[in-house]
Amino acid sequence: MRQNDKIVCILENRKKRDQKNLCRALSDFQQSFQKPETRREFDLSDPLALKKDLPARQSDNDIRNTISGMQKFMGEDLNFHERKKFQEEQNREWSLQQQREWKNARAEQKHAEAFYTETRLQFDETASHLQELESATRKAVCASVKEFNKSQAIESAERKKQEKTQEQEDNLAEITNLLHGDLLSENPQQAASSFGPHRVVPDRWKGMTQEQLEQIRLVQKQQVQEKLRLQEEERQRDLDWDRRWIQGARATLLFERQQQRQQRDLRRALDSSNLSLAKEQRLQKKYMNEVYTNQPTGDYFTQFNTGSR
């Protein structure tokens, strides 16, 4: 990337330098061959025209012998043909020079474009080569990592196998020792206490007798029955509360429906009343319009005032 950036900067500097040289050459050409005094219409705007002015004619045809001051007409000068030929030659030279400069500029531009294209192709080839190298390096790294992980997995599996074998041997030895000891053989004599037959050694005691177990089972059975009874009572109480809640919800729903019916009837009555009032207002307005149309203005106001009183 740094190499690509460096090459791009070099190309940009070269392009700027070429543009600068072209502008300088154009300016030099204009200053050398396109001066103001060489223009065709310069004689119309020459600030020294009066100083340079000479008698209109110094040849056989003197300007002092003109008629009404018209000493000379267009196309009647003595050097007309030479001047026209010189101007045509000068225009032809200018045109040829501009063509040559245009061809040179086009050739330089094509050369720059070809160089730019070649450089871009080189950049693309370099980038492709670097990408291939990166891909090969990545594949090599992945392969080495894969081999390392595989060796680590094999070593871990072998180590776990050895640890499992050792653990199984240790467990087998421990089980053998426990089976032949008093702990798992449940020897009741080892729990006898020296303080009396009703006391036992806690760390050697192997359990209660059959009678003690029966007593505990009986107590547990009683506790289970008591718990079932309490659960049944709680269930009945929940059913009662649910029944009451459903009845209250039903009553609330009926009350809301009744209110909705009352509001609907009230709205219908109000709409009917509004319709009848609107109809009466339309009839009254129609009557007033007919009276206002059929009677004069003074009689109408007299009748309206009398009716108002």
Side-chain angles (χ1 to χ4, degrees):
M1 290 176 65
R2 287 197 298 269
Q3 185 179 2
N4 294 339
D5 294 338
K6 184 177 180 181
I7 293 174
V8 170
C9 292
I10 292 172
L11 292 176
E12 289 180 355
N13 293 331
R14 182 177 297 174
K15 184 177 180 181
K16 291 180 181 178
R17 185 169 64 255
D18 293 339
Q19 289 180 355
K20 186 176 180 180
N21 293 332
L22 182 61
C23 293
R24 185 185 295 109
L26 182 61
S27 178
D28 295 337
F29 175 78
Q30 290 177 353
Q31 292 179 3
S32 300
F33 301 98
Q34 292 183 351
K35 295 181 179 180
E37 55 270 20
T38 60
R39 296 177 183 173
R40 183 181 299 176
E41 65 277 9
F42 179 73
D43 54 346
L44 300 177
S45 60
D46 188 5
L48 303 177
L50 296 177
K51 292 182 179 182
K52 297 178 181 178
D53 193 12
L54 295 174
R57 290 277 182 168
Q58 293 182 356
S59 61
D60 297 337
N61 298 325
D62 194 8
I63 60 174
R64 296 178 180 87
N65 296 327
T66 58
I67 299 174
S68 299
M70 297 182 182
Q71 299 94 1
K72 182 180 178 181
F73 293 95
M74 180 64 67
E76 294 181 358
D77 57 317
L78 298 177
N79 298 325
F80 172 74
H81 297 287
E82 290 79 3
R83 179 172 52 81
K84 185 176 180 181
K85 185 176 180 181
F86 175 74
Q87 289 177 353
E88 290 177 354
E89 186 67 23
Q90 190 177 18
N91 290 332
R92 189 176 67 82
E93 290 294 334
W94 289 349
S95 178
L96 291 175
Q97 187 175 2
Q98 289 179 356
Q99 290 178 4
R100 288 193 297 271
E101 292 178 354
W102 173 254
K103 289 180 180 179
N104 294 332
R106 288 291 299 173
E108 292 179 357
Q109 184 178 2
K110 289 182 179 180
H111 179 70
E113 290 178 355
F115 180 74
Y116 177 74
T117 304
E118 184 179 0
T119 307
R120 287 299 301 272
L121 291 175
Q122 292 179 358
F123 289 164
D124 293 340
E125 291 178 359
T126 305
S128 177
H129 181 63
L130 291 176
Q131 188 175 3
E132 291 177 357
L133 290 177
E134 183 181 0
S135 178
T137 305
R138 188 181 295 110
K139 289 181 180 179
V141 171
C142 292
S144 60
V145 171
K146 185 177 180 180
E147 291 295 332
F148 177 76
N149 293 334
K150 186 176 181 180
S151 62
Q152 290 291 324
I154 293 173
E155 291 179 1
S156 178
E158 186 66 25
R159 186 172 57 256
K160 289 181 179 179
K161 184 178 180 181
Q162 293 178 0
E163 291 177 356
K164 186 176 181 181
T165 303
Q166 186 65 33
E167 184 179 0
Q168 289 178 355
E169 292 177 357
D170 295 340
N171 292 334
L172 182 60
E174 184 179 0
I175 292 171
T176 304
N177 294 330
L178 290 175
L179 288 175
H180 293 85
D182 294 335
L183 182 63
L184 294 180
S185 62
E186 297 184 358
N187 187 7
Q189 299 298 327
Q190 65 177 351
S193 177
S194 60
F195 295 99
H198 61 282
R199 302 185 65 175
V200 295
V201 180
D203 58 344
R204 299 178 182 178
W205 184 60
K206 297 301 178 180
M208 295 180 293
T209 60
Q210 191 67 25
E211 292 79 8
Q212 293 175 344
L213 293 175
E214 291 293 336
Q215 183 67 24
I216 291 174
R217 291 192 185 95
L218 180 61
V219 173
Q220 289 178 348
K221 186 176 180 181
Q222 293 176 357
Q223 290 177 353
V224 169
Q225 293 177 356
E226 181 67 19
K227 186 176 181 180
L228 292 174
R229 186 182 62 80
L230 294 176
Q231 289 178 354
E232 182 65 22
E233 291 179 357
E234 185 177 0
R235 190 176 66 81
Q236 293 296 332
R237 186 166 53 252
D238 292 339
L239 290 175
D240 190 14
W241 279 108
D242 292 339
R243 191 180 304 106
R244 293 181 181 179
W245 181 82
I246 292 171
Q247 291 177 358
R250 185 179 298 138
T252 304
L253 181 62
L254 293 175
F255 180 71
E256 289 178 355
R257 289 181 178 177
Q258 184 178 4
Q259 283 186 344
Q260 290 177 359
R261 285 195 297 271
Q262 291 177 358
Q263 290 178 359
R264 189 162 50 252
D265 295 339
L266 182 60
R267 191 180 299 108
R268 289 176 181 174
L270 183 60
D271 293 340
S272 178
S273 177
N274 291 333
L275 289 174
S276 61
L277 289 174
K279 186 175 181 181
E280 292 178 0
Q281 288 179 358
R282 285 197 299 271
L283 293 175
Q284 185 177 2
K285 185 176 180 180
K286 184 177 180 181
Y287 174 74
M288 295 297 291
N289 291 331
E290 291 177 355
V291 171
Y292 178 76
T293 305
N294 296 329
Q295 293 183 0
T297 306
D299 296 340
Y300 172 73
F301 280 108
T302 303
Q303 184 178 1
F304 180 74
N305 293 329
T306 303
S308 300
R309 289 196 296 269

